[in-house]
Amino acid sequence: MKRTLFEKALKADSTHGYDYILPYVEDLKNVINMEVISKERLKIGADPLGGSAVDFFDLIAERYGLQLEVVNHVVDPTFAFMTLDHDGRIRMDCSSPYAMAR
């Protein structure tokens, strides 16, 4: 069976794994005062909006001792969770009241 380019790339000596999640989670404390949020015992609901950050939130909650609940674990690469913009198209435009209606 012929291997795909992707399979070849994964096996190449130049291909290495990298954890993008843990460094991000660790760096949050440098831009957000996570200690204050933790001390206040806020109850936080997080929606990873289509799943792009679904694997981040549990680690964030654990690392910083937060009462954080992921309210939507659905991974949706089609962005069907978005409300349509004024022209009926899916658009990630936070300045549009139509796109941000939900």
Side-chain angles (χ1 to χ4, degrees), residues 1 4-5 11-12 15 29 32-33 36 38 41 44 58 60-61 66 69-70 73 83-84 86 90 95:
M1 178 186 254
T4 66
L5 290 176
K11 294 180 184 195
T15 302
K29 67 182 176 282
I32 301 171
N33 194 333
V36 169
S38 179
R41 305 303 297 160
I44 302 168
D58 289 334
I60 291 168
L66 304 179
E69 178 184 349
V70 176
H73 285 91
T83 49
L84 301 179
H86 67 92
I90 294 175
S95 68

Side-chain angles (χ1 to χ4, degrees), residues 67-81:
Q67 294 184 48
L68 187 152
E69 178 184 349
V70 176
V71 298
N72 185 357
H73 285 91
V74 174
V75 175
D76 180 7
T78 67
F79 293 97
F81 63 91

Side-chain angles (χ1 to χ4, degrees), residues 21-96:
I21 298 174
L22 187 58
Y24 175 86
V25 170
E26 288 297 324
D27 201 37
L28 279 175
K29 67 182 176 282
N30 295 313
V31 293
I32 301 171
N33 194 333
M34 301 302 277
E35 188 176 322
V36 169
I37 296 170
S38 179
K39 283 182 182 178
E40 291 298 323
R41 305 303 297 160
L42 299 174
K43 292 183 179 180
I44 302 168
D47 186 336
L49 297 174
S52 62
V54 74
D55 294 328
F56 288 65
F57 288 108
D58 289 334
L59 188 57
I60 291 168
E62 181 182 323
R63 168 65 180 84
Y64 296 105
L66 304 179
Q67 294 184 48
L68 187 152
E69 178 184 349
V70 176
V71 298
N72 185 357
H73 285 91
V74 174
V75 175
D76 180 7
T78 67
F79 293 97
F81 63 91
M82 287 294 299
T83 49
L84 301 179
D85 207 349
H86 67 92
D87 58 0
R89 302 186 90 171
I90 294 175
R91 189 172 289 113
M92 303 296 282
D93 179 1
C94 61
S95 68
S96 167

